[in-house]
């Protein structure tokens, strides 16, 4: 009886399952025949604009860079990626090190020139030892002392002279493929992006024309080439030619990011080609296409502007370097060089060139990165590990001489190094492709090390109340353009309107103010700039001149390397209309967000090691963010 009852139940279940299957098939068929009804219960399904900001470093070196490895760096690309993802590593001087918060992405960009040399010497690579200079430098390094220093000097001088003393495609390919494979292992789409890249190290006459080269692609494309180095050419136009060939050959995409114009002695944004010819439209188009961004801030000084260029800007003198170039001995800087070194001035010159050529060679967005040469990317003042191993935390690092003048006196002392910076990108998700695309369209911004979140939209008909709307971004994209965008053909009797939001770093300092910086070319061909405070903290007032009537204050206790967030605001929003707008004048606008004063890394070192530094060493800093501009073209 039980057996019959069990069989009957099983038959019933099978029948029911078959009936359900038939009903499901009928329902599917019926659904296919019904007109499609759009779902309304989740309004974000078809939302395709960027809603997330990711922070990372696009300029970072390891032992595989000739200068790193020969100056004592021990950490390699694997260590760099592990550290960036939040893991603990042991620094080059034996200190346990870890980030306060992991990065979202990292590009290890070791120098193309002699890529991997120091590590090949360390491991006594047989292919390297089979070369004349590889064996010579290995033997000198093994002896150590003066011989090791002389080996490093020979390497440095050969690069400066563009005299490639070791040329082996077998070695180059082996090291490059290792670099790409390491990035592939650490690339985790959606969680952490390991970008492929390297640095092209052009330094003619000691003038810095370096570019970081960043690929959108993975190993299947990037392995098809070898890095183009300064040994191949120190002319940026030849680098652009290499980039074009890469894209043609592989179907991939690549961009270049200039850095440290402040050490170029006027050459980074000069109004002529590398060879001294006048600029033309084709040059302007190629530069705008190949170099959509610049690295505006990093450890070797800030490159936004200079007090000599921006006399009405009280925030212009920020981590300023003006010693000269990287020649040995350095060639001193003159005031005339500054105009073609700094970002704000170059953006203005771009307007002038666009009016003349029909294309803007300096139409760039702005990011920050570290240029760290220690295998660790650190940007927080309280966790700053320096540029080279000798700059890692110690009681004497602040007084170490980095560069000397012709008379032997110090040109750059390590206290001048800044704990900067970060690249922030607005994307939909954390992948190589999304991050690259954001950089290519300039929807990115720079910070000097903290994780300020800032967003700006420009349009013709935004209203003041809209900056507080929950769908602020949706409206911004629908009726305007984000940072990196273009406004054109102003409607009659309309003015550019801007909506800005800025949020402090969750682990950092409150905000002092939001500023909009405008540059324009007037009808007489003259260039101008003006700064507008568009939001200020603590209920302060903005005067008729567009500037805050008083400073935010200062809570820094230098002796104890502390501060409080009892001043400033955590969130600032701004709506601004350019009532001085002339629809016939070319212009650009970018946002600068300033934090309240905090202790600088030098103050943390003074407290940590119980030391006293001279009065000329700064102990406080006001970190900041710079967005990519929005341009207006008549």
């Amino acid at each position: 009886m039980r057996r019959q009852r069990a069989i009957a139940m099983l038959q019933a279940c099978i029948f029911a399952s078959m009936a359900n299957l038939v009903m499901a098939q009928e329902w599917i068929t019926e659904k296919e025949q019904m007109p499609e009804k759009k779902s309304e219960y989740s309004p974000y399904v078809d939302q395709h604009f960027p809603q997330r900001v990711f922070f990372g470093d696009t300029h970072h070196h390891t032992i595989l860079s000739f200068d790193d490895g020969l100056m004592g760096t021990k950490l390699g690309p694997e260590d760099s990626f592990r550290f960036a993802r939040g893991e603990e590593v042991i620094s080059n001087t034996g200190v346990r090190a870890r980030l306060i918060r992991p990065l979202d992405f990292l590009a290890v960009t070791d120098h193309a020139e002699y890529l991997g040399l120091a590590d090949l010497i360390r491991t006594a690579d047989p292919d390297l030892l089979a070369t004349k200079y590889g064996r010579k430098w290995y033997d000198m390094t093994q002896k150590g002392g003066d011989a090791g220093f002389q080996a490093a000097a020979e390497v440095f001088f050969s690069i400066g002279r563009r005299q490639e003393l070791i040329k082996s495609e077998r070695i180059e390919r082996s090291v490059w493929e290792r670099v790409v494979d390491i990035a592939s292992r650490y690339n985790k789409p959606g969680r952490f992006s390991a970008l492929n890249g390297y640095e092209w190290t052009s330094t003619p006459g000691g003038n810095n024309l370096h570019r970081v080269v960043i690929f959108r692609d993975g190993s299947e494309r990037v392995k098809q080439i070898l890095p183009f180095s300064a040994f191949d050419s120190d002319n940026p136009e030849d680098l652009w030619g290499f980039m074009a060939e890469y894209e043609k050959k592989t179907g991939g995409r690549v961009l270049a990011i200039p850095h440290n114009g402040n050490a170029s002695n006027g050459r980074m944004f000069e109004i002529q080609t590398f060879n001294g010819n006048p600029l033309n439209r084709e040059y302007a188009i190629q530069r705008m296409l190949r170099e959509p961004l610049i690295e505006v801030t990093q450890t070797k000084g800030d490159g936004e502007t200079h007090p000599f260029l921006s006399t009405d800007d009280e925030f212009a003198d920020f981590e300023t370097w003006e010693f000269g170039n990287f020649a040995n001995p350095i060639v001193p800087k003159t005031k005339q060089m500054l105009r073609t070194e700094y970002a704000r001035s170059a953006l203005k010159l771009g307007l002038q060139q666009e009016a003349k050529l029909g294309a803007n060679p300096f139409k760039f967005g702005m990011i920050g990165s570290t240029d760290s040469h220690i295998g660790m990317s650190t940007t927080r003042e309280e966790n700053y590990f320096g540029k080279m191993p000798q700059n890692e935390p110690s009681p004497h690092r602040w007084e170490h001489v980095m560069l000397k003048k012709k008379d032997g006196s110090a040109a750059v002392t390590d206290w001048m190094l800044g704990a900067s910076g970060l690249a922030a990108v607005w994307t939909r998700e954390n992948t190589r492709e999304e991050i690259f695309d954001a950089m290519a369209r300039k929807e990115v911004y720079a910070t000097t090390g903290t994780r300020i979140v800032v967003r700006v939209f420009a349009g013709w008909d935004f209203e003041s109340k809209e900056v507080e709307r929950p769908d602020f971004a949706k409206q911004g994209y629908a009726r305007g353009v984000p940072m990196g965008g273009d406004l054109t053909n102003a409607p009659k009797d309309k003015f550019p309107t801007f909506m800005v939001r800025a949020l402090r770093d969750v682990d950092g300092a409150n905000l002092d103010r939001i500023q909009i910086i405008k540059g324009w070319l007037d009808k007489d061909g003259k260039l101008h700039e003006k700064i507008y405070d568009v939001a200020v903290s603590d209920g302060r007032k903005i005067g008729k001149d567009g500037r805050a009537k008083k400073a935010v204050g200062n809570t820094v206790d230098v002796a104890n390397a502390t501060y409080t967030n009892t001043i400033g605001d955590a969130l600032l929003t701004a709506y601004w209309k350019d009532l001085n707008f002339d629809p016939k004048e070319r212009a650009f606008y970018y946002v600068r967000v300033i934090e309240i004063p905090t202790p600088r890394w030098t103050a943390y070192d003074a407290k940590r090691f119980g030391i006293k530094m001279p009065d000329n060493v700064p102990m406080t800093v006001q970190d900041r963010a710079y967005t990519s501009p929005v341009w207006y073209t008549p």
Side-chain angles (χ1 to χ4, degrees):
M1 181 69 70
R2 288 182 180 177
R3 184 171 179 271
Q4 291 176 340
R5 196 179 296 131
I7 292 173
M9 289 178 64
L10 180 61
Q11 289 174 335
C13 289
I14 293 173
F15 178 79
S17 297
M18 292 178 65
N20 288 337
L21 180 60
V22 171
M23 289 174 64
Q25 290 174 336
E26 291 174 348
W27 181 84
I28 292 171
T29 303
E30 181 182 359
K31 184 176 183 293
E32 290 172 348
Q33 294 172 351
M34 293 172 61
E36 183 69 22
K37 294 183 68 175
K38 190 171 183 179
S39 171
E40 296 179 354
Y41 60 85
S42 182
Y44 306 105
V45 172
D46 294 319
Q47 192 176 83
H48 300 300
F49 56 81
Q51 279 286 50
R52 302 181 66 185
V53 61
F54 295 105
F55 292 93
D57 188 353
T58 60
H59 185 186
H60 177 79
H61 298 266
T62 74
I63 190 175
L64 299 186
S65 285
F66 67 89
D67 46 359
D68 276 38
L70 296 175
M71 297 296 287
T73 295
K74 303 171 185 176
L75 303 184
E78 299 96 330
D79 302 297
S80 294
F81 285 124
R82 287 180 49 239
F83 186 77
R85 295 196 314 185
E87 297 179 38
E88 181 182 303
V89 302
I90 302 299
S91 82
N92 302 285
T93 55
V95 178
R96 294 172 61 194
R98 187 173 184 175
L99 290 176
I100 296 171
R101 276 182 288 160
L103 296 178
D104 298 308
F105 62 90
L106 176 71
V108 172
T109 54
D110 285 306
H111 294 285
E113 299 73 24
Y114 297 137
L115 180 65
L117 175 63
D119 199 42
L120 295 171
I121 290 175
R122 180 183 66 83
T123 58
D125 180 81
D127 288 333
L128 179 72
L129 298 186
T131 68
K132 176 183 176 181
Y133 281 92
R135 166 57 71 175
K136 178 185 178 183
W137 291 337
Y138 171 80
D139 290 341
M140 294 170 73
T141 302
Q142 290 299 104
K143 289 180 181 179
D146 290 342
F149 180 82
Q150 182 60 35
E154 287 186 13
V155 172
F156 279 72
F157 289 143
S158 75
I159 292 173
R161 294 190 298 264
R162 292 185 55 230
Q163 181 181 10
E164 191 171 13
L165 299 178
I166 299 175
K167 188 169 181 61
S168 167
E169 183 174 337
R170 182 175 179 179
I171 292 175
E172 289 181 62
R173 185 160 298 282
S174 172
V175 177
W176 178 240
E177 291 190 354
R178 175 189 165 199
V179 168
V180 175
D181 286 342
I182 291 171
S184 295
R185 288 202 302 273
Y186 283 90
N187 188 56
K188 304 296 179 185
R191 291 187 289 156
F192 180 85
S193 293
L195 306 177
N196 285 305
Y198 71 91
E199 180 171 344
W200 175 74
T201 322
S202 170
T203 317
N207 299 316
N208 184 88
L209 295 180
H210 301 186
R211 267 79 168 167
V212 170
V213 178
I214 302 292
F215 297 90
R216 186 179 191 267
D217 314 302
S219 61
E220 69 284 351
R221 286 191 169 117
V222 178
K223 280 187 176 181
Q224 295 181 43
I225 55 93
L226 290 174
F228 184 87
S229 81
F231 288 134
D232 298 306
S233 174
D234 57 358
N235 186 340
E237 292 181 74
D238 293 330
L239 174 65
W240 305 341
F242 160 79
M243 294 164 66
E245 285 299 313
Y246 167 81
E247 293 183 342
K248 181 179 178 181
K249 176 179 181 179
T250 69
R253 293 180 64 194
V254 60
L255 57 80
I257 307 173
H259 58 270
N260 279 123
N262 62 332
S264 71
N265 272 8
R267 294 213 61 184
M268 185 62 81
F269 305 113
E270 59 189 345
I271 311 302
Q272 61 182 14
T273 68
F274 181 82
N275 293 324
N277 299 318
L279 301 188
N280 57 35
R281 177 179 170 83
E282 179 58 27
Y283 174 95
I285 291 172
Q286 283 300 308
R287 182 159 186 165
M288 182 169 51
L289 172 68
R290 297 299 170 193
E291 300 181 359
L293 305 176
I294 69 160
E295 184 182 297
V296 74
T297 188
Q298 61 137 274
T299 191
K300 299 196 304 296
D302 193 80
E304 184 216 4
T305 192
H306 187 281
F308 177 77
L309 300 171
S310 301
T311 55
D312 294 329
D313 184 354
E314 70 269 37
F315 293 103
D317 193 10
F318 179 75
E319 301 289 352
T320 305
W321 279 35
E322 49 187 348
F323 60 89
N325 68 1
F326 294 138
N328 185 27
I330 64 171
V331 177
K333 191 181 302 298
T334 65
K335 297 296 185 184
Q336 290 72 27
M337 297 173 181
L338 299 174
R339 189 174 72 113
T340 49
E341 287 192 352
Y342 283 85
R344 190 186 302 174
S345 177
L347 287 167
K348 291 194 294 183
L349 292 171
L351 300 178
Q352 204 169 50
Q353 290 302 304
E354 184 178 43
K356 178 181 178 181
L357 305 174
N360 185 344
F362 308 135
K363 192 173 184 179
F364 50 73
M366 296 190 280
I367 60 168
S369 282
T370 64
D371 194 13
S372 166
H373 281 61
I374 56 172
M376 299 183 296
S377 177
T378 61
T379 66
R380 293 285 294 250
E381 304 290 339
E382 70 271 43
N383 196 40
Y384 175 58
F385 272 71
K387 177 178 170 64
M388 303 293 284
Q390 61 266 29
N391 315 134
E392 291 190 10
S394 77
H396 302 289
R397 68 164 167 171
W398 68 272
E399 58 187 345
H400 176 265
V401 176
M402 185 174 177
L403 289 171
K404 294 182 179 180
K405 298 178 183 177
K406 189 174 183 179
D407 62 6
S409 62
V412 177
T413 308
D414 281 0
W415 65 258
M416 299 178 183
L417 293 168
S420 190
L422 285 173
V425 301
W426 281 102
T427 74
R428 293 177 300 172
E429 54 188 358
N430 186 355
T431 66
R432 285 171 168 169
E433 297 78 13
E434 283 278 326
I435 290 169
F436 183 97
D437 292 348
M439 292 194 291
R441 68 176 182 267
K442 309 181 185 75
E443 197 170 355
V444 298
Y445 64 95
T447 88
T448 57
T450 59
R451 301 193 189 192
I452 302 169
V453 177
V454 56
R455 201 161 204 183
V456 57
F457 293 99
W460 299 110
D461 62 353
F462 294 136
E463 299 292 337
S464 60
K465 62 185 178 182
E466 291 186 287
V467 73
E468 308 296 345
R469 289 179 60 150
D471 62 347
F472 157 82
K474 182 178 180 180
Q475 295 301 318
Y477 284 108
R479 294 161 40 224
V481 297
M483 62 184 79
D486 292 274
L487 295 175
T488 58
N489 302 319
K492 186 177 180 180
D493 299 326
K494 290 284 188 176
F495 301 90
T497 55
F498 295 81
M499 300 190 297
V500 189
R501 285 184 180 179
L503 180 68
R504 78 168 215 201
D505 185 329
V506 67
D507 292 321
N510 275 345
L511 305 179
D512 169 3
R513 68 188 72 195
I514 298 175
Q515 301 177 312
I516 288 181
I517 295 165
K518 178 185 178 182
W520 71 97
L521 178 70
D522 70 18
K523 63 180 184 301
D524 297 321
K526 295 182 179 179
L527 294 168
H528 306 269
E529 66 178 61
K530 187 171 177 59
I531 301 166
Y532 298 90
D533 290 332
V534 296
V536 293
S537 61
D538 296 336
R540 289 174 292 157
K541 301 298 182 183
I542 298 174
K544 292 181 179 179
D545 61 351
R547 304 308 305 275
K549 292 186 175 181
K550 62 179 181 178
V552 71
N554 191 336
T555 66
V556 176
D557 178 349
V558 173
N560 291 301
T562 61
Y563 72 100
T564 66
N565 275 326
T566 52
I567 60 173
D569 287 349
L571 170 68
L572 289 174
T573 63
Y575 169 84
W576 182 73
K577 180 185 290 188
D578 184 8
L579 296 177
N580 296 312
F581 172 71
D582 185 332
K584 297 179 181 179
E585 295 177 344
R586 300 173 191 273
F588 65 81
Y589 307 82
Y590 68 89
V591 172
R592 182 170 68 181
V593 181
I594 310 285
E595 288 184 359
I596 65 171
T598 57
R600 194 173 182 265
W601 69 264
T602 44
Y604 285 105
D605 269 18
K607 170 65 176 175
R608 181 181 296 121
F609 299 113
I611 56 178
K612 171 68 176 174
M613 299 180 194
D615 292 340
N616 65 310
V617 178
M619 290 289 153
T620 64
V621 66
Q622 282 188 266
D623 278 308
R624 55 202 62 194
Y626 312 116
T627 72
S628 293
V630 170
W631 288 266
Y632 170 73
T633 305

